Amino acid sequence: MKAPRPNFAHEASFAKLLCGDLPEAALDALQELIGRHKVSLVRGDVTYLDGGWYVTHSGLLRLAARRHCAGIHVQPVLKFSNPPNSRWVFRATVFKSRTCKGFVGFGDAEPSNVSARVRGAEMRVAETRAVNRALRKAYGIGICSVEEIGSVGEPAKSQPQASKIPPQPANGNYGGPKVRDRLCQIIRQHQLDPNLVKSYAVDFCGTKALREATRAQVENFVAHLADWAQKDRNALLCQLNSYSPVKGRAA
């Protein structure tokens, strides 16, 4: 069964829910990616980090499948690797068709350029990076893949004075990254309309805009939404549909 073609309006709504207010340039870039490569933020093909879009490994594999990729050959480059020190280099070749000569990409990984979350898995990270780079070359993906970034998602080291700074309110951040990620996960898992979820959240929190809600309010809403979606998705959909704008009918 083919995945539905990404709809930019739906993708843009999800992007704003996931990332907050995005600059116009970021939305334009997303629209171009969707139009050219049929990628989807909702499906997790791309992600937004530090002011830019990055393609994901799963997104590249889905793209390769849509384009009927003939095969991917991956092998370690042992002369540049140092297994005892967890340094690995891989070479990947993507064949777009049976007659294709191949698009080559190299990927390296070592403890100094991977996230702490994947330390000990440098060999697999290097392989993934090589495949990503080869796929990006083969299909003309101009943006970097998120797996190629070193130490992505690492928390910044606190300054000596940081302990003196009181906790900041969550207003304007939809309850913080973890709560926002959980909300987006629920939307993806249960295939909910992000616009309707946002309208329901505003009503649930009793604020004029979601960014005005406190962290506790957003956390309560996310817990409520997850519970309802799990127990009775159809009833939840009815509730969400009540927030749909009424469309005028032709006489």
Side-chain angles (χ1 to χ4, degrees), residues 95-166:
F95 300 95
K96 297 173 66 176
S97 66
R98 292 183 179 180
T99 58
C100 177
K101 294 183 179 180
F103 293 81
V104 177
F106 289 86
D108 71 285
E110 58 184 47
S112 67
N113 68 5
V114 300
S115 167
R117 298 176 184 176
V118 292
R119 295 267 164 81
E122 287 82 4
M123 182 176 70
R124 295 190 293 277
V125 173
E127 180 189 23
T128 298
R129 288 174 174 175
V131 170
N132 285 7
R133 191 161 180 80
L135 285 170
R136 291 197 299 109
K137 285 184 178 180
Y139 296 105
I141 306 293
I143 59 174
C144 186
S145 71
V146 69
E147 290 84 5
E148 292 176 73
I149 305 173
S151 303
V152 63
E154 288 291 283
K157 293 182 179 180
S158 58
Q159 299 294 328
Q161 298 86 353
S163 59
K164 299 179 182 179
I165 302 175

Side-chain angles (χ1 to χ4, degrees), residues 222-237:
V222 171
H224 163 75
L225 188 72
D227 183 64
W228 198 355
Q230 188 69 33
K231 291 180 178 178
D232 194 343
R233 179 176 178 273
N234 289 333
L236 174 59
L237 291 178

